[in-house]
């Protein structure tokens, strides 16, 4: 605790008649000052006595100072509460309190935990809150896979915007079109950020997840369901509202499960019609079908216009199973994991090449059966 | 508090589409004219639907990184940003003159000053010229040189050709280059025949596109005969039919673009102090973004 923090507390008590925050109750009544925490209760104090008691409970004072004066919203707090919608700064504050589990633990426990660092997972991000001198919080950010890694083994960054480079490519250097895909690469860390910089870095890696998570906590996440979103589309995306509910179910199942996207899907077909597909367990919600899903849906809309036909193929039972295994391997992105010589895997490249050599004709038709017959 | 939000198309397939937007946002952030500078995309995140939620300020200046007025600036962006009561007539534009309109975002209650696209702003002309300077490495480039401004063409967007014509005419009026010509990919006069439209030995070709992509990196260089296969690259300048073609790539990657964004916001009422001059100063001589 710094002297300035105590002065600020005395000033706040004088100005507002009392301060109540995270277990600290400081007030000024006719009989003098009062200072109460879960472990201390003193009333009828002179200002000098009040200061003395506060000084022997420095954590409560510096905690109050950090949350109300440093992270605090100043005049914005009431403005935001009034508007009920514009809540960028409140969301930031709520996220920082979440990071140190402020709702679950009192100040002394929290300070003890923060001395070692309190870590939480946000998608594939590991956010660690620590307490520096005078109750100032400092934050670290890294990949969950590096939670226990030595800092010297990681690339260390300080500017939150540098997270852009990390979030753009996966570990094989491929572009990541969906920021919340579980393909964030590891090997880096942001050390020693202040609260604002932490939230900025998180926003670069997982854009808009903090405000949406905050709205959900406040019970006012606005969800745009599939039908509504599809109807809103214009131009080349105008067609996506043609998809029937079953196809929408397949979309959610293909795109929105945890193996593909870490957002927790909150949208359904419409408000009344829930989709069966797994929503995912992500900490942050998905409030409407994203642009990637809408763009894919456009392709599926045109594909779904086709009627099924009956084809005749010659395959051995093992070949049929092999086709199924290939589809599975591609759909799950496992083709790279199948070892070159592992011919027991149906999706092994040599197995696939053998099948093609045997069953495709010169035009690439399976079993020599033309597509448009 | 005032925020700048640059909105752009973005891509699901490659990061080049959004790269210039990030670069210009960084330049503006560095001069400190706004409390916050954010970016939002049609095809990337944060989406246009959610970008305003990432902004803490009450006063937001939204500048579209698009070349022309049309479908995106008139329908998609205002709809996705949930600009209450938007009507394109608020811009009262002839297709080139959209400046700004002030609306409330239904989602966040912020006051949004929705600006016209960067591509139609008059200072875009300076960026085209600066692009010619950076590609030739000559700050005085002009005498003995022809300049071609290349656009997509009318088939896609009626206003896109207007922007090309507008800037070509303004450069012509500067009397700096020996010849100035507007060329198109999809209509006459075509960029394929670039050498037929110029007498000058040296011709700078600047596509009026926001980002480098398929058209500026593959189509146009091949169409002009700079290379048979874009993958093998091409020289700058490259010799074509006895002319030296200085192909500049998309104008949107030129770092001076940050200035156009700032000017749009300033005209909509943003207090940017001397940021415009600072950006002009700082982007001079600095390598073009993406180079
Ligand atoms: S719609 Fe939502 S949950 Fe589904 S992939 Fe897109 S962001 Fe993820």
């Amino acid at each position: 605790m710094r002297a300035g923090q105590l002065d600020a507390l005395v000033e706040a008590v004088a100005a507002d008649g009392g301060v109540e925050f995270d277990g600290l109750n400081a007030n000024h009544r006719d009989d003098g000052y009062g200072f109460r925490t879960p472990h201390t209760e003193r009333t009828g104090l002179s200002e000098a006595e009040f200061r003395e008691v506060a000084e022997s409970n420095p954590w409560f004072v510096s905690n109050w100072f950090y949350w109300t004066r440093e992270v605090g919203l100043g005049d914005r707090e009431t403005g935001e509460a009034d508007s009920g919608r514009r809540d960028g700064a409140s969301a930031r504050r709520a996220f920082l309190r979440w990071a140190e589990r402020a709702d679950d633990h009192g100040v002394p426990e929290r300070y003890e935990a923060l001395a070692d660092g309190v870590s939480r997972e946000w998608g594939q991000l590991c956010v660690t809150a620590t307490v520096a001198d005078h109750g100032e919080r400092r934050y670290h950010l890294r990949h969950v896979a590096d939670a226990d890694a030595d800092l010297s083994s990681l690339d260390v960054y300080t500017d939150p915007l540098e997270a852009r480079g990390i979030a753009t490519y996966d570990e094989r250097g491929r572009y990541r079109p969906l920021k919340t895909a579980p393909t964030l690469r590891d090997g880096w860390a942001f050390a020693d950020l202040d609260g604002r910089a932490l939230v900025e870095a998180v926003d670069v890696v997982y854009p808009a997840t903090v405000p949406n998570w905050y709205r959900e906590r406040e019970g006012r996440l606005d969800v745009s369901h599939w039908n509504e979103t599809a109807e809103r589309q214009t131009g080349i995306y105008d067609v996506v509202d043609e998809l029937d509910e079953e196809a929408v179910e397949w979309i959610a199942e293909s795109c929105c499960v945890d193996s593909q996207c870490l957002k927790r899907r909150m949208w359904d077909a419409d408000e009344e019609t829930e989709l069966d597909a797994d929503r995912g367990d992500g900490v942050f919600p998905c409030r409407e079908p994203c642009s990637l899903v809408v763009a894919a849906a456009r392709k599926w809309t045109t594909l779904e216009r086709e009627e099924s036909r009956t084809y005749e193929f010659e395959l051995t039972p093992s070949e049929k199973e092999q086709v199924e295994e290939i589809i599975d391997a591609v759909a799950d992105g496992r083709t790279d994991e199948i070892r070159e010589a592992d011919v027991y895997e149906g999706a092994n490249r040599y197995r696939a090449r053998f099948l093609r050599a045997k069953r495709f004709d010169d035009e690439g038709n399976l079993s020599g059966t033309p597509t448009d017959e | 508090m005032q925020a700048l939000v640059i909105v752009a198309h973005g891509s699901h397939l490659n990061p080049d589409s959004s790269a210039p937007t990030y670069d210009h946002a960084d330049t503006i952030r560095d001069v400190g004219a706004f409390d916050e500078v954010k970016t939002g995309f049609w095809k990337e995140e944060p989406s246009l639907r959610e970008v305003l939620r990432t902004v803490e300020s009450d006063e937001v200046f939204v500048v579209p990184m698009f070349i022309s007025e049309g479908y995106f600036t008139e329908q998609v962006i205002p709809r996705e940003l949930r600009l209450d009561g938007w009507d394109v007539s608020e811009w009262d534009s002839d297709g080139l003159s959209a400046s700004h309109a002030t609306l409330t975002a239904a989602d966040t209650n912020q006051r949004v000053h929705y600006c016209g696209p960067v591509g139609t702003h008059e200072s875009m002309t300076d960026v085209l010229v600066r692009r010619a300077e950076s590609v030739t490495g000559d700050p005085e480039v002009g005498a003995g040189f022809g300049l071609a401004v290349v656009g997509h063409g009318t088939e896609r967007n009626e206003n896109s050709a207007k922007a090309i014509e507008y800037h070509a005419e303004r450069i012509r009026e500067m009397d700096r280059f020996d010849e100035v010509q507007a060329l198109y990919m999809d209509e006459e006069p075509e960029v394929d025949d670039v050498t037929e439209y110029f007498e000058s030995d040296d011709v700078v070709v600047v596509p009026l596109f926001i980002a480098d992509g398929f058209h500026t990196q593959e189509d146009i260089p091949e169409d002009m005969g700079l290379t048979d296969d874009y993958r093998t690259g091409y020289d700058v300048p490259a010799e074509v039919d006895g002319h030296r073609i200085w192909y500049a790539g998309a104008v949107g990657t030129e770092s001076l673009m940050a200035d156009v964004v700032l000017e749009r916001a300033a005209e909509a009422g943003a207090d940017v102090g001397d940021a415009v001059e600072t950006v002009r100063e700082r982007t001079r001589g600095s390598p073009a973004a993406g180079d």
Side-chain angles (χ1 to χ4, degrees), chain A residues 178 180 255-256 261 263-265 267 286 288-290 293, chain B residues 45:
Chain A
L178 186 66
T180 45
C255 306
C256 305
C261 176
K263 281 190 190 167
R264 181 167 25 82
R265 179 180 55 80
W267 56 267
C286 170
E288 75 177 32
C290 64
V293 157
Chain B
E45 295 152 273

Side-chain angles (χ1 to χ4, degrees), chain A residues 71-305:
Chain A
V71 180
L73 307 177
D75 297 340
R76 292 187 54 80
E77 199 148 19
T78 30
E80 286 189 354
D82 288 349
S83 92
R85 283 186 285 179
R86 178 169 53 238
D87 38 32
S90 312
R92 171 163 51 82
R93 184 174 190 268
F95 179 79
L96 296 176
R97 287 181 67 77
W98 170 88
E100 67 175 60
R101 298 182 186 274
D103 293 344
D104 308 334
H105 300 291
V107 171
E109 291 163 86
R110 247 193 286 149
Y111 266 58
E112 271 158 31
L114 285 167
D116 298 331
V118 175
S119 293
R120 302 205 75 173
E121 289 188 11
W122 186 261
Q124 287 182 291
L125 292 177
C126 172
V127 177
T128 305
T130 59
V131 64
D133 293 346
H134 313 300
E136 174 100 350
R137 269 43 162 196
R138 304 300 295 176
Y139 302 92
H140 297 246
L141 189 69
R142 50 175 70 184
H143 194 287
V144 284
D146 295 324
D148 301 318
D150 201 76
L151 194 62
S152 63
S153 68
L154 305 172
D155 296 332
V156 180
Y157 301 97
T158 48
D159 178 355
L161 292 173
E162 287 182 287
R164 237 188 254 149
I166 295 164
T168 304
Y169 300 97
D170 69 14
E171 60 181 22
R172 290 165 53 206
R174 293 179 307 185
Y175 177 55
R176 297 173 68 239
L178 186 66
K179 291 267 177 56
T180 45
T183 54
L184 189 66
R185 67 181 168 85
D186 55 19
W188 50 268
F190 286 84
D192 210 25
L193 300 170
D194 67 13
R196 196 175 278 276
L198 171 76
V199 175
E200 227 177 294
V202 169
D203 191 58
V204 170
V205 178
Y206 296 137
T209 53
V210 170
N212 284 330
W213 164 87
Y214 175 70
R215 285 198 191 198
E216 185 180 47
R217 269 167 62 115
E218 299 287 295
R220 49 186 174 79
L221 181 72
D222 54 323
V223 175
S224 299
H225 293 285
W226 176 267
N227 291 345
E228 189 188 332
T229 307
E231 274 156 31
R232 194 178 81 232
Q233 305 303 316
T234 52
I236 58 170
Y237 299 107
D238 194 28
V239 297
V240 301
D241 60 359
E242 283 175 29
L243 280 173
D244 61 25
E245 199 176 307
E246 205 180 10
V248 175
E249 186 72 67
W250 295 329
I251 290 175
E253 188 185 323
S254 338
C255 306
C256 305
V257 293
D258 281 348
S259 68
Q260 307 303 311
C261 176
L262 298 172
K263 281 190 190 167
R264 181 167 25 82
R265 179 180 55 80
M266 294 309 292
W267 56 267
D268 284 290
D270 56 43
E271 207 157 338
E272 278 82 50
T273 326
E274 269 196 28
L275 301 175
D276 289 333
D278 193 18
R279 296 185 181 280
D281 297 319
V283 53
F284 36 78
C286 170
R287 44 164 301 285
E288 75 177 32
C290 64
S291 77
L292 196 71
V293 157
V294 171
R298 173 175 172 248
K299 181 68 188 163
W300 287 317
T301 308
T302 53
L303 297 179
E304 284 299 297
R305 285 177 185 154

